[in-house]
């Protein structure tokens, strides 16, 4: 690590010589166009990587061989290799929370050793996985049944943020995969995340409580939204099945097993994980594996873990020029910090990956949206990227206009060689999946090449339309092609994205593993909660003395005007589905 001469000040990423060199290099790249860069065969060969069965084409990034050399210099000067090693060896790299960052241990093979604070944690990981296998087998084969003796075929997973988005992504990815489909026949998995009672209504609508198993997922077991949803669903179960229902119909995943027990869940039915697994990196722990194994069986989830483990090994061992997460992470650094492209679009040409973008939004933006470096020094540059995305071709009919002719947004196209489902109609020129993939191939070149005035003229486009129909091109993208969309490749893809995000944080020299930015809103919501309770139970307005500014006071009072007084002493539990039914 390079330190500057002044006593306490530590060198920032932007002060590294390679950072400066990259800044100066921007003018050289600005003088190029992807139209020309794509005709340099040697450059293209060097920018196509095929590893672990994944095909990654980086030729449409706005980079020259020199850009890559400078990015490797930046990686060296930022100590990237040492930082990756520190993560894998259990050092407390999450310094503000004094924790190791070891989600990779949650998918370690049984024969691996990963030491945290002097202890090999792999046996602990497998103890929980074995417990999950045992429990989920029993639920799935009808040995573990509900209070009335019915098999538990419906699962509602309650959790938010990392305790929701990762499992939802994987569930969505597997629903139509033939093996997973077969394994989940007659079973249902739903998620309840938002504290909005509408989400409760939707999650519970049509479910028979006698057949329903609820999994409460919360690392801390204190998250306000999750705990209120858990209490709500607990009341729903008790009201319909009696007080004993909790023992048979509610299980939990948490690092806080004490609070799980206090909630009333049998510790036998609690599945732990550890503070060295960040919430947004927890899908491979019991957070994802328990609900997903209930739905798909443990064997399929083990394939998913094996895929993630494969990408972990790749990330740890491959040289940078062949290391997919390192290359993709470095190119994002180039796009964000040097080319000035602050957003990226995640565009899977595979409906099963439709929840990748929402998951990566949390992993990336909660990890890398930081204002200070790891030493607490305010950063003179912006970190993180704004992530968004939709599956192709839906995105094409939505926001691609902006991407082609408005702002420059680096795009990440993800395509699949063998679709989970195939349709080929007699008389059609291509199969339905080929049709989808035709768009995958076309969009990347459309962005790169664009369309010139000359081309438009040669097509006899009237003069007045030419400016409207010009595409400047030179818009960067990358294309990732997976052989198929299975539990294994979904695991690889997940880990690929997790690690590229870590690479970016390591280069920017920020702490990608804390999330202090989510705290302030929670504190203020708690203050509103106290006043809200007092206003609704005593039928009073919020007053200037309650501690809110004029604007907030007025807005809360405007809200309260439309509400009735809450009568807790004589009240009874009201569930949104009751309301739905009465409306019916
Ligand atoms: O959004 C903040 C956060 O702490 C996330 O990092 C986390 O995934 C989420 O809340 C849920 O937390 P928990 O699993 O503790 O309920």
């Amino acid at each position: 690590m390079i330190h500057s001469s002044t006593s306490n000040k530590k060198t920032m990423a932007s002060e590294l010589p390679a950072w400066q060199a990259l800044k100066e290099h921007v003018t050289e790249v600005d003088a190029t166009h992807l139209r020309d860069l794509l005709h340099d065969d040697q450059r293209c060969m060097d920018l196509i990587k095929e590893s672990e069965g994944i095909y990654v084409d980086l030729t449409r990034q706005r980079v020259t061989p020199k850009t890559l050399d400078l990015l490797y210099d930046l990686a060296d000067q930022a100590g990237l290799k040492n930082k990756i090693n520190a993560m894998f060896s259990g050092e407390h790299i999450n310094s503000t929370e004094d924790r190791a960052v070891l989600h990779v241990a949650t998918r370690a093979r049984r024969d691996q050793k990963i030491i945290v604070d002097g202890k090999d944690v792999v046996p602990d990981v497998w103890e929980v996985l074995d417990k999950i296998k045992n429990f989920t087998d029993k639920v799935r084969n009808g040995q573990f049944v509900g209070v009335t003796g019915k098999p538990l075929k419906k699962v509602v997973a309650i959790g938010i943020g990392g305790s929701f988005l990762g499992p939802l992504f994987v569930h969505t990815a597997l629903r139509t995969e033939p093996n997973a489909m077969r394994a989940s026949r007659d079973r249902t998995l739903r998620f309840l995340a938002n504290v909005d009672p509408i989400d409760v209504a939707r999650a519970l609508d049509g479910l028979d409580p006698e057949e329903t198993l609820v999994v409460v997922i919360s690392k801390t077991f204190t998250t306000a939204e999750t705990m209120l949803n858990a209490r709500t669903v607990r009341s729903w179960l008790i009201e319909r099945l009696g007080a004993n229902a909790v023992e048979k119909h509610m299980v939990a995943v948490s690092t806080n097993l004490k609070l799980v027990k206090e909630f009333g869940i049998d510790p036998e039915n609690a599945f732990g994980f550890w503070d060295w697994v960040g919430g947004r990196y927890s899908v491979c722990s019991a957070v994802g594996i328990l609900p997903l194994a209930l739905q798909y069986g443990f064997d399929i989830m083990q394939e998913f873990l094996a895929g993630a483990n494969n990408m972990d090994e790749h990330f740890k061992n491959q040289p940078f020029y062949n290391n997919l997460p390192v290359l993709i992470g470095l190119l994002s650094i180039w796009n964000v910090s040097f080319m000035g492209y602050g957003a990226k679009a995640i565009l899977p040409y595979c409906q099963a990956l439709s929840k990748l973008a929402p998951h990566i939004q949390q992993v990336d933006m909660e990890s890398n949206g930081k204002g200070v470096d790891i030493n607490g020094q305010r950063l003179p540059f912006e970190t993180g990227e704004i992530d968004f995305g939709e599956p192709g071709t839906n995105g094409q009919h939505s926001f691609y206009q902006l991407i082609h002719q408005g702002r420059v947004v680096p795009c990440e196209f993800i395509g699949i060689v063998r679709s989970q489902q195939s349709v080929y109609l007699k008389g059609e020129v291509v199969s339905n999946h080929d049709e989808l993939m035709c768009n995958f191939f076309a969009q990347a070149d459309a962005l790169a090449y664009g369309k010139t005035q000359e081309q438009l003229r040669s097509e006899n486009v009237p003069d007045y339309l030419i400016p409207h129909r010009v595409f400047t091109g030179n818009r960067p993208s990358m294309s990732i092609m997976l052989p198929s969309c299975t539990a294994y490749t979904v695991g690889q893809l997940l880990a690929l994205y997790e690690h590229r995000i870590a690479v970016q944080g390591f280069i920017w020299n920020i702490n990608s593993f804390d999330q202090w930015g989510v705290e302030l809103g929670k504190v203020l919501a708690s203050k509103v909660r106290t006043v809200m309770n007092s206003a609704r139970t005593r039928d009073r307005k919020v007053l200037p003395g309650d501690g809110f500014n004029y604007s907030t006071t007025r807005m809360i009072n405007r809200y309260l005007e439309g509400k009735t007084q809450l009568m807790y002493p004589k009240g009874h539990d009201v569930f949104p589905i009751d309301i739905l039914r009465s409306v019916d």
Side-chain angles (χ1 to χ4, degrees), residues 160-163 217-221 223 226 279-280 362 366 515 518 522:
I160 199 163
S163 297
I217 308 171
S218 175
K219 180 174 172 181
T220 53
F221 229 67
T223 302
T226 298
R280 54 194 174 273
Q362 189 206 7
E366 198 165 271
Q515 58 283 318
V518 300
K522 289 188 198 170

Side-chain angles (χ1 to χ4, degrees), residues 324-334 499-501 503-504:
L324 302 181
V326 168
L327 285 166
I328 293 175
L330 288 176
L331 290 168
S332 264
I333 293 275
W334 168 247
H499 295 324
R500 65 85 68 93
I501 289 163
V503 166
Q504 291 173 233

Side-chain angles (χ1 to χ4, degrees), residues 6 8 21 32 69 92 100 105 114 161 197 203 223 260 280 317 325 341 343 363 371 377 464 472 490 502 538 582:
T6 44
N8 284 330
T32 67
D69 287 343
H92 285 210
I114 297 182
T223 302
V260 170
R280 54 194 174 273
N317 298 321
Y341 306 142
V363 185
Q377 305 175 121
Y464 80 98
T472 55
V490 169
R538 290 186 220 143
S582 65

Side-chain angles (χ1 to χ4, degrees), residues 114-189:
I114 297 182
I115 310 293
V116 183
D117 300 330
K119 179 177 187 278
D120 180 10
V121 295
V122 177
D124 296 356
V125 166
W126 275 94
E127 193 184 322
V128 175
L129 287 175
D130 288 338
K131 185 174 169 181
I132 292 175
K133 175 175 168 36
N134 186 30
F135 178 75
T136 56
D137 280 354
K138 280 190 189 152
V139 172
R140 288 170 56 85
N141 67 25
Q143 269 177 274
F144 186 104
V145 291
V147 271
T148 60
K150 282 197 178 174
L152 297 163
K153 292 188 169 182
K154 320 280 176 198
V155 171
V156 178
I158 304 179
I160 199 163
S163 297
F164 158 58
L165 291 162
L168 176 70
F169 158 57
V170 180
H171 175 47
T172 310
L174 296 183
R175 262 181 60 202
T176 43
E177 194 281 321
N179 291 331
M181 253 176 120
R182 262 189 299 278
S184 59
R185 193 164 291 138
D186 293 335
R187 302 199 62 84
T188 301
L189 173 59

